[in-house]
Amino acid sequence: KSKGTLSIIPQLKFKVPHKGVINKAPPQIDIISAHCYEAKAAAVAVCTDPDAYGYDFEALKGAEKQQASYKGEFPSPLPCMAFDTFIDPIQMAMAAECGAQGVNLEVAALKDRTGEMIEAAKSLGLDPLVQVHNKEELDLALEAGAKIVGITNRDVDTWEPINKISSVSREWEVPFEETVFALIKEVPKDVVTVALGHVNETIAAWTLRDEGYNAIMIGEVIMKGLETAQVTGSSYQAAYNEAKGIIMAFRSKGSKKYGPSSAANFYGKGEGAKEELGQLSM
């Protein structure tokens, strides 16, 4: 990524393990995939465990098919990633067969098999994003050869965020240095860093950008932005534009000091956001 920018990876799901259904009427997967492309996301992560997240490998195929329709255009199609609990190379082979170009690997689940699964992913032509939750897991991931590390703000048992965001400051309730995301200071410069888990505010996203993160993966805030469906009797699809607006606002070059009001999360009002959102401010 360019200096001062942040890549956004939307995570597509309509259920989560600790809450259940978060979007009762999600749009067709090709529509969501198209919105990701139009909003200039960096990739599309499709959750493929139907019991935990709602979507499955068929959804991955649909998202990839939509991206393939952009071949020959600028920008190029977005790479698709399968997001699941991968513990066997056969699962990853299925993901690759369905069009995935990347997978996530959780050190908490794999432990000393992390290196083995990284190599298996590479042999299948997949880029592995290796998820960690603490310093011990980070050390194991780096020793295993991880080149893309996902620092994850989720308790592995409860799935609740380790560090919550304040509704007042719109940043974490503790200083950044005390959050799990501060682990980035232990990551070598040649390793790509992705922040995952409860990044649902532009100010928090911009903090991660300023601290050196290459990308963030956002799920619930995107899917909830899609929930309210179309405006009845109108060609203007407010919810769909809202979801695109969130992606654009997160990746804009706005500053924390002159950042947007809470409403600007969705409508692009505020310093920095307008360069990305344009007509969505109307």
Side-chain angles (χ1 to χ4, degrees), residues 53-215:
Y53 302 109
Y55 288 127
D56 54 19
F57 281 123
E58 288 301 312
L60 174 61
K61 288 181 182 178
E64 195 281 330
K65 182 178 180 181
Q66 181 63 36
Q67 293 304 319
S69 71
Y70 303 122
K71 286 181 179 178
E73 298 186 21
F74 181 84
S76 300
L78 305 182
C80 290
M81 170 186 178
F83 195 95
D84 207 330
T85 303
F86 291 98
I87 57 174
D88 192 293
I90 293 176
Q91 291 173 283
M92 295 193 293
M94 291 174 62
E97 180 67 22
C98 292
Q101 293 171 262
V103 292
N104 66 304
L105 299 175
E106 285 198 66
V107 173
L110 297 172
K111 298 184 171 55
D112 58 3
R113 294 186 57 237
T114 300
E116 169 194 331
M117 288 290 282
I118 288 175
E119 292 306 312
K122 291 179 179 178
S123 71
L124 291 164
L126 299 168
D127 289 322
L129 183 158
V130 184
Q131 287 184 256
V132 304
H133 303 79
N134 53 50
K135 178 65 162 57
E136 181 182 1
E137 291 181 6
L138 174 61
D139 289 343
L140 199 161
L142 295 174
E143 289 170 8
K147 292 301 179 184
I148 308 174
V149 169
I151 297 176
T152 308
N153 180 30
R154 293 285 183 192
D155 184 287
V156 293
D157 296 317
T158 66
W159 236 73
E160 292 290 340
I162 299 169
N163 301 112
K164 295 182 178 180
I165 289 179
S166 165
S167 60
V168 177
S169 69
R170 298 170 56 216
E171 292 193 84
W172 295 278
E173 295 174 346
V174 297
F176 178 83
E177 292 73 19
E178 297 178 23
T179 70
V180 66
F181 293 123
L183 281 173
I184 190 175
K185 302 182 187 302
E186 307 293 332
V187 181
K189 296 297 183 184
D190 63 340
V191 174
V192 174
T193 49
V194 182
L196 302 89
H198 203 61
V199 183
N200 56 11
E201 289 280 2
T202 49
I203 298 297
W206 295 349
T207 295
L208 293 167
R209 175 201 65 199
D210 295 346
E211 292 291 341
Y213 275 87
N214 298 100

